[in-house]
Amino acid sequence: MGMLLAAVTLAPLCLFARRFHHPLQTFFHQMLLPLLAVIILAAFAVFEPLADCVVRALLSIGMYYFFGVAALFAVAFAIAGSSAREFSPTLVLSVVMGCFSLSTMAGIAFGGHLHLPESQTVFMPVVAVAIYCVFLVAYSIVVFWRNTSSYSDSEENTVDSVEPTSIAVRCESLSEEFALSPRESEILGFLARGHAASFIAKTLIISESTVYTHTRNIYQKMGIGSREELLCLIERDE
């Protein structure tokens, strides 16, 4: 039931994903999944002591709804990664299904040794969600301090005086002039707007190393060596 509800609620994202102005992966990790985790923990803290069978059943469905959302997004991002041609679809799906099978067997084996009464079998999933929340807070603090400087640099390098439409036209012109590949042309548009490699990687669902490789190839074809030279080239093309 939890997996079914997760699939039904996430289905609209297939239709509206392209309308998001921010990376869908960022929306998922920083907004949707943390919000569900907090709601579930709060619901357990308030309603679980009531010891009502119906309430516990609903809480269990909510718990596995959370894990269903996480699992479906993991599969979706894995498939998106394979469509970016970094890995073959067969390899990606095999790894995903293998991890799912191993984690399921490990969970069943571990849960069988706890000898918990039936009324407390949802205890371990609650612990898993709580650990996730702690990790999320710690990770957010680390990422904030690590990326503060890179965000400021990205803002300084943005061409604020140029309209987005003009940037797209100039990038298209430069792509034709220097014979850039479709992926390089796509990344050129992000670089021209001052986005960092981490943002580009999350948006295109590729690794940062792949972004750096494409960026290096773009610089080589254009005969430049830095972001500043690229921005000057775009302004010159005005």
Side-chain angles (χ1 to χ4, degrees), residues 5-208:
L5 291 176
V8 170
T9 54
L10 293 180
L13 290 179
C14 298
L15 302 176
F16 302 106
R18 293 184 179 274
R19 298 185 181 181
F20 278 73
H21 298 290
H22 299 283
L24 187 60
Q25 189 174 6
T26 301
F27 165 76
F28 165 68
H29 285 296
Q30 297 182 3
M31 296 180 62
L32 180 60
L33 198 57
L35 178 62
L36 290 178
V38 171
I39 292 175
I40 288 173
L41 291 179
F44 265 90
V46 174
F47 299 108
E48 203 278 336
L50 298 178
D52 183 86
C53 294
V54 176
V55 172
R56 286 182 175 174
L58 293 176
L59 292 176
S60 297
I61 292 175
M63 176 62 64
Y64 289 104
Y65 169 80
F66 170 83
F67 287 110
V69 170
L72 291 175
F73 261 103
V75 174
F77 289 132
I79 294 174
S82 66
S83 66
R85 297 182 181 178
E86 290 190 279
F87 307 100
S88 67
T90 302
L91 175 62
V92 171
L93 294 179
S94 298
V95 171
V96 170
M97 295 306 299
C99 292
F100 176 79
S101 300
L102 290 175
S103 61
T104 300
M105 290 187 292
I108 293 174
F110 180 71
H113 288 83
L114 293 179
H115 303 292
L116 292 174
E118 185 177 356
S119 61
Q120 297 182 12
T121 53
V122 78
F123 171 73
M124 291 306 298
V126 174
V127 173
V129 176
I131 293 176
Y132 165 78
C133 290
V134 173
F135 166 78
L136 188 67
V137 173
Y139 177 78
S140 299
I141 294 174
V142 172
V143 170
F144 173 79
W145 289 108
R146 186 184 65 183
N147 292 340
T148 299
S149 58
S150 64
Y151 287 153
S152 60
D153 293 340
S154 175
E155 292 176 357
E156 292 176 359
N157 292 331
T158 303
V159 185
D160 294 327
S161 60
V162 182
E163 293 295 331
T165 303
S166 300
I167 293 178
V169 172
R170 294 171 196 175
C171 288
E172 183 178 355
S173 175
L174 290 173
S175 298
E176 295 178 357
E177 178 181 352
F178 295 99
L180 301 183
S181 68
R183 178 64 88 180
E184 290 170 348
S185 301
E186 192 174 16
I187 292 178
L188 174 64
F190 286 99
L191 295 175
R193 292 190 292 273
H195 291 301
S198 58
F199 180 91
I200 300 174
K202 290 179 180 178
T203 303
L204 300 180
I205 316 180
I206 58 178
S207 64
E208 290 189 31

Side-chain angles (χ1 to χ4, degrees), residues 213-228:
T213 299
H214 285 304
T215 302
R216 185 166 57 251
N217 293 336
I218 292 172
Y219 288 175
Q220 290 177 351
K221 290 182 179 181
M222 290 185 169
I224 58 179
S226 66
R227 177 75 66 84
E228 287 73 20

